[in-house]
Amino acid sequence: MTPPPATRQAAPPEVLARCREQVRPALAQAVRRLHPWHAEMAVFSLGWATADGSPAPGSQGKGVRQALALLSAEAAGAPAEDAVVGAVAVELIHVFSLLHDDIMDGDETRRQRATVWKAYGTGPAILAGDALFALAVQTLADAPGRHSAAAVRHLAGTLTELVRGQADDLLFESRPWQGPEAVQPHEYRWMAENKTGALLGCAAGLGAVLAGAPDATVDALSRAGRHLGVAFQAVDDLLGTWGDPEVTGKPVHSDLRRLKKTYPVLSALVTDHPAARRLALLLGTGDPLDDADARRAAELVEEAGGRTATLAEAHQQLDIARRCLEAVPLAPAALREILALFPYLIDRTG
């Protein structure tokens, strides 16, 4: 029997949609504060419009960070409205990071459409990212209430970790695949915790900060978000190798083609499996892989256990995140919705 609507727990897609709709007006209002050119690029990156200004029918993203901010405020006993300004700030930082990340990685598509630098140029995309960065900080600084200063400090710490993680990710590119200088899985995990986990942790923590929650609650929600971020990055790595291009919007084996150091590859290379040695030889030439070599590399990664290890890592990170949430008293309904997001985000295909 279907429970009555008042007691039925919303499915993760419904939760994400509800939070996006709640944040969208304030996010749109914030974007309108930008220079018109920057606002146009922000609207394009958010998936609200095409480069010529017409409405975009494609994906606008899941809004995971927005949802974490609102649900964390509710989990801390406050109304979701208290965290809308935090959700806006985190989303602006997220878009800023994507604009710059796409330039650094040379990615030409995202969500099955051109990236901002590809559509507008590298210089304009960098400038738009800078504008979004500044707007995020200003948005929190201008927030009413007595918690805005603490929220700005929370965001500032996140930004430091975010750029540190991005720096490590770039430095990994120049390190060898094998030998004492090779990138180890635990180093990659640390990078992912900063680059991806810090912003998810920031979203959850900001919701609690703006709710006026105790430090222990803010810390627990922040740490849970960070571990969720590492799991999220692990799944991104799987999709970058084995994802369906129709869903991911990127070519099949895209990360392998670019010789990107990802968790599946690194965890495969540290095994004693014969496939790991063949994989190291294939990657060690330093040349971008063609279709046949990329396909072969994906097979070797899977044969050496890289795919299995990455899935195990994702689930382990989710278990740690759950334990973080269980360590403090949280509102049951909001906690259930946060926990329901975990498997949904890990089992995603895009």
Side-chain angles (χ1 to χ4, degrees):
M1 179 181 295
T2 302
T7 59
R8 182 179 67 88
Q9 180 177 321
E14 295 171 357
V15 173
L16 293 172
R18 184 190 77 219
C19 293
R20 285 198 307 269
E21 290 169 5
Q22 193 165 358
V23 173
R24 172 75 179 259
L27 183 57
Q29 183 178 12
V31 169
R32 286 195 291 271
R33 296 173 63 185
L34 293 168
H35 183 286
W37 194 30
H38 301 154
E40 179 183 330
M41 286 182 272
V43 166
F44 174 80
S45 184
L46 285 162
W48 296 350
T50 62
D52 63 8
S54 58
S59 169
Q60 298 178 14
K62 293 179 179 63
V64 176
R65 294 154 191 84
Q66 300 172 45
L68 280 177
L70 269 56
L71 293 175
S72 293
E74 292 180 333
E81 290 79 9
D82 288 1
V84 167
V85 66
V88 169
V90 169
E91 189 65 17
L92 293 172
I93 291 296
H94 176 53
V95 177
F96 139 73
S97 69
L98 294 182
L99 263 62
H100 286 194
D101 197 38
D102 286 338
I103 293 169
M104 287 182 273
D105 288 347
D107 287 339
E108 298 185 358
T109 60
R110 180 177 289 278
R111 299 174 188 160
Q112 300 179 321
R113 55 205 298 252
T115 50
V116 173
W117 75 267
K118 191 65 178 176
Y120 289 89
T122 301
I126 292 173
L127 194 59
D130 293 343
L132 289 163
F133 182 111
L135 178 61
V137 176
Q138 190 68 50
T139 297
L140 272 187
D142 291 344
R146 58 190 179 90
H147 303 301
S148 62
V152 171
R153 288 193 296 271
H154 192 83
L155 181 66
T158 297
L159 294 171
T160 300
E161 295 172 335
L162 181 66
V163 296
R164 181 182 292 124
Q166 182 62 41
D168 286 338
D169 195 27
L170 289 175
L171 288 169
F172 286 171
E173 295 179 6
S174 61
R175 291 173 61 178
W177 291 102
Q178 284 189 307
E181 296 301 316
V183 180
Q184 299 299 308
H186 73 271
E187 293 180 277
Y188 185 88
R189 187 183 302 114
W190 179 251
M191 179 278 296
E193 185 174 340
N194 284 322
K195 182 180 175 182
T196 306
L199 199 51
L200 285 169
C202 177
L206 268 181
V209 168
L210 292 167
D215 290 346
T217 302
V218 173
D219 181 61
L221 285 161
S222 298
R223 287 187 290 111
R226 291 177 72 93
H227 289 291
L228 177 60
V230 178
F232 196 89
Q233 183 61 57
V235 175
D236 263 1
D237 288 351
L238 291 173
L239 295 175
T241 301
W242 293 284
D244 181 353
E246 294 297 320
V247 180
T248 65
K250 294 184 177 182
V252 66
H253 305 145
S254 58
D255 285 347
L256 284 170
R257 291 171 186 273
R258 295 190 292 113
L259 299 179
K260 188 172 179 61
K261 293 181 174 68
T262 62
Y263 198 89
V265 176
L266 296 175
S267 58
L269 287 172
V270 295
T271 69
D272 292 329
H273 199 285
R277 293 188 286 274
R278 295 196 294 271
L279 177 64
L281 290 174
L282 183 58
L283 298 174
T285 65
D287 298 324
L289 304 184
D290 59 21
D291 290 350
D293 283 342
R295 184 169 56 253
R296 180 58 179 152
E299 293 169 352
L300 291 170
V301 170
E302 186 158 15
E303 189 178 345
R307 188 171 189 168
T308 299
T310 304
L311 280 171
E313 175 68 22
H315 286 287
Q316 181 179 2
Q317 293 295 328
L318 289 190
D319 288 341
I320 298 172
R322 289 189 188 95
R323 291 199 293 272
C324 291
L325 296 176
E326 291 167 356
V328 293
L330 297 172
L335 175 59
R336 284 195 299 270
E337 290 190 321
I338 293 173
L339 291 175
L341 290 177
F342 285 13
Y344 173 77
L345 296 175
I346 294 304
D347 296 337
R348 63 197 165 93
T349 58

